[in-house]
């Protein structure tokens, strides 16, 4: 298949997974925030989906990563990054709950009800690990806000990035569908590492409360592509894949860009060193494995505990590609959760009302044909918290939630159903498979 044909195929896939935006289609968000998570009895939810003991604060920061390579201009430019930060709120905090305003892939505005207070003081009683949260191509920083709020309520500082050149607001898929893709390939891991460094090393509102020895990274789709790199999965573009995903045709330029792309652990090239603060990584539907874009030796050398989450019918990142990343990962603590019959949209929040009334380009960013988005979100909360508590905070009892038999369907044996997964009520661990590097102990 030629590069042109491959680009056309990728364009079609990206239109399904990402979206289309023109400035003239942007609408003002509605005045009354939507509540996407109405109350639901805990009897049907996994244990660790329950809210933690902290009230949650949230702030929006405008950061600048200086002198970064800009593919559009082929020069060094300051790279702005907008970051949404959730954190445990001070016990004295008493403010109205805020909201999050974003736009769909075709530019329709919406506002969602938050379970967090805007700009309140951070709780100064403890120190909290920083978790970096990274969206896909395209997306926005609050597309997984349920995870940000959840982790903050359990004692984490969560920094979710608007990846410049890669948001719904940045990319016009009708006229320039690949305008941000080159930037995404270069910057995903760099952005993640920069934001982690910022909270651990620079003066900010949370500086005194950061646990600067322990951290984690979570990525969805292209965010997962970056997260795997951030923990040591070095990129391994060849000339063909470089041309395929950048559209460059000149052989000399292809070789130069290939060298630029093949970075590791936040933009390093020679003798890359993974940030020792990172104790856990979660990758939802990570892209790139289906195209062999990661160096096999580097993947085998990954030591960071890793959780891969995938839909068995993922038609964007490809289930076999995600499974390949899991198989290659060398960490002795690695896991893979599979949602059977799910496609790619396993991580975003449920669709806002405006997307439900719109085209497939909008609803297709959130909708799963075989799964409830609420069920996916609550299950994600459970396993992500287990992962972070076990490996970032080192809470041994939380590791039990990651030690599971392969199938959660509770098959009938000798007339009785097998036990449900640890942390799930009877009958509610169905539709999922689990893999882990260590043998199941129970």
């Amino acid at each position: 298949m030629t590069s042109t044909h491959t680009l056309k195929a990728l364009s079609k896939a990206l239109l399904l997974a990402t979206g289309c935006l023109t400035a003239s289609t942007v609408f003002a968000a509605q005045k009354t925030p939507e509540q996407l998570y109405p109350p639901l009895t805990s009897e049907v939810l996994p244990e660790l989906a329950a809210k933690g003991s902290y009230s949650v604060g949230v702030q929006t920061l405008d950061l600048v990563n200086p002198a970064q390579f800009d593919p559009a201009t082929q020069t060094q430019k300051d790279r702005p990054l907008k970051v949404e930060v959730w954190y445990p709120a001070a016990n004295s905090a008493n403010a109205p709950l805020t909201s999050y305003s974003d736009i769909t892939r075709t530019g329709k505005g919406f506002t969602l009800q938050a379970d967090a207070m805007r700009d309140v003081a951070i709780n100064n009683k403890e120190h909290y690990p920083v978790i970096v949260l990274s969206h896909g191509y395209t997306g926005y920083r609050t597309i997984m806000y349920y995870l940000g709020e959840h982790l903050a309520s359990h004692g984490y500082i969560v920094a979710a990035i608007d990846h410049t050149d890669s948001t719904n607001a940045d990319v016009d898929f009708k006229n320039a569908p690949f305008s941000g893709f080159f930037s995404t390939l270069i910057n995903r891991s760099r952005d993640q590492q920069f934001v982690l460094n910022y909270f651990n090393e620079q003066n900010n509102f949370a500086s005194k409360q950061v646990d600067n020895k322990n951290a984690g990274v979570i990525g969805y789709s292209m965010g997962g592509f970056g997260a795997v790199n951030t923990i040591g999965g070095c990129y391994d573009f060849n000339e063909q894949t470089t041309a395929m995903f950048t559209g460059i045709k000149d052989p000399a330029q292809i070789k130069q860009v290939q060298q630029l792309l093949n970075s590791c652990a936040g933009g390093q090239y020679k003798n890359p060193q993974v940030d020792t603060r990172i104790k856990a990584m979660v990758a939802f539907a990570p892209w790139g494995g289906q195209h062999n874009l990661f160096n096999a030796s580097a993947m085998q050398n990954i030591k960071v505990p890793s959780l891969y989450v995938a839909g068995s019918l993922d038609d964007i990142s490809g289930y076999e590609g995600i499974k390949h990343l899991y198989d290659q990962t060398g960490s002795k603590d690695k896991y893979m959760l599979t949602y059977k019959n799910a496609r790619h949209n396993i991580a975003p929040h449920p669709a806002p009302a405006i997307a439900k009334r719109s085209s497939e380009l909008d609803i297709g960013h959130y909708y799963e044909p075989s799964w409830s988005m609420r069920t996916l979100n609550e299950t994600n909360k459970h396993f992500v918290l287990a992962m972070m508590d076990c490996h970032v905070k080192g809470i041994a009892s939380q590791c039990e939630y990651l030690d599971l038999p392969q199938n959660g369907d509770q098959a009938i044996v000798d007339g009785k159903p097998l036990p449900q997964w640890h942390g799930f009520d009877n009958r509610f661990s169905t539709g999922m498979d689990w893999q882990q590097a260590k043998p199941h102990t129970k």
Side-chain angles (χ1 to χ4, degrees), residues 6-19:
T6 306
L7 280 171
K8 289 181 178 178
L10 179 62
S11 178
K12 181 179 179 181
L14 287 172
L15 282 170
L16 289 171
T18 57

Side-chain angles (χ1 to χ4, degrees), residues 78 80 132 136 165 191 194 201 203 229 287 303 381 413 437:
D78 289 352
V132 174
D165 306 322
D191 289 350
F194 168 74
E201 300 169 9
N203 185 46
N229 182 273
W287 185 84
K303 302 295 191 295
K381 285 160 61 175
V413 178

Side-chain angles (χ1 to χ4, degrees), residues 125-151:
K125 304 300 183 182
E126 304 288 343
H127 290 89
Y128 314 107
V130 173
I131 309 297
V132 174
L133 188 58
S134 183
H135 66 74
Y137 182 84
T138 56
Y140 44 89
R141 65 188 184 278
T142 58
I143 200 167
M144 295 177 283
Y145 76 89
Y146 67 95
L147 282 180
E149 292 180 347
H150 185 61
L151 290 172

Side-chain angles (χ1 to χ4, degrees), residues 219-393:
Y220 167 47
S221 194
M222 292 305 296
F225 167 81
V228 173
N229 182 273
T230 298
I231 63 166
C234 305
Y235 297 137
D236 192 21
F237 286 80
N238 57 33
E239 292 182 19
Q240 181 181 5
T241 52
T242 299
M244 183 186 305
F245 297 117
T246 64
I248 297 171
K249 298 180 179 179
D250 178 69
Q253 190 177 9
I254 288 172
K255 290 183 178 180
Q256 291 178 335
V257 171
Q258 179 186 354
Q259 292 179 337
L260 176 65
L261 289 174
N262 285 336
S263 62
C264 196
Q268 301 178 62
Y269 290 95
K270 292 184 178 180
N271 302 315
Q273 300 295 316
V274 175
D275 191 328
T276 58
R277 294 171 296 208
I278 300 175
K279 301 299 195 299
M281 185 277 294
V282 179
F284 291 99
W287 185 84
Q290 76 274 46
H291 300 294
N292 294 310
L293 298 183
F294 294 89
N295 181 275
S297 296
M299 292 293 294
Q300 286 294 326
N301 288 328
I302 288 176
K303 302 295 191 295
V304 176
S306 302
L307 169 61
Y308 293 88
V309 186
S312 67
L313 300 179
D314 190 317
D315 52 349
I316 302 303
S317 295
Y319 180 71
E320 292 303 320
I322 301 167
K323 179 67 165 54
H324 182 57
L325 293 177
Y326 167 79
D327 289 338
Q328 283 188 309
T329 298
S331 173
K332 63 182 179 63
D333 296 299
K334 67 175 181 178
Y335 318 88
M336 183 167 174
L337 172 65
T338 298
Y339 291 117
K340 290 184 282 189
N341 294 321
R343 290 201 180 273
H344 188 69
N345 298 330
I346 59 172
H349 61 67
I354 193 70
K356 295 176 183 178
R357 300 191 297 267
S358 186
S359 67
E360 194 276 337
L361 283 176
D362 283 339
I363 188 66
H365 204 182
Y366 311 96
Y367 186 74
E368 275 292 330
S370 299
W371 281 84
S372 155
M373 294 305 293
R374 177 72 182 267
T375 300
L376 291 170
N377 287 181
E378 300 293 350
T379 307
N380 291 344
K381 285 160 61 175
H382 172 86
F383 281 109
V384 168
L385 181 61
M387 192 72 185
M388 298 304 163
D389 277 358
C390 173
H391 294 292
V392 177
K393 288 189 175 180

Side-chain angles (χ1 to χ4, degrees), residues 29-106:
Q30 71 273 19
K31 293 182 179 180
T32 302
E34 289 182 63
Q35 173 56 266
L36 295 183
Y37 300 100
L40 182 63
T41 176
S42 62
E43 292 176 315
V44 300
L45 300 178
E47 286 182 24
L48 300 187
K51 183 178 178 179
S53 59
Y54 293 100
S55 297
V56 177
V58 63
Q59 295 191 25
T60 305
L61 305 181
D62 289 295
L63 308 183
V64 176
N65 192 3
Q68 298 300 298
F69 177 77
D70 177 34
T73 63
Q74 302 286 298
T75 62
Q76 300 288 319
K77 291 180 61 177
D78 289 352
R79 179 169 170 80
L81 294 170
K82 191 176 290 291
V83 180
E84 201 80 358
V85 188
W86 294 275
Y87 53 91
N91 291 335
S92 59
N94 184 18
L97 296 179
T98 188
S99 60
Y100 311 120
S101 293
D102 290 289
I103 57 175
T104 67
R105 296 183 300 188
T106 61

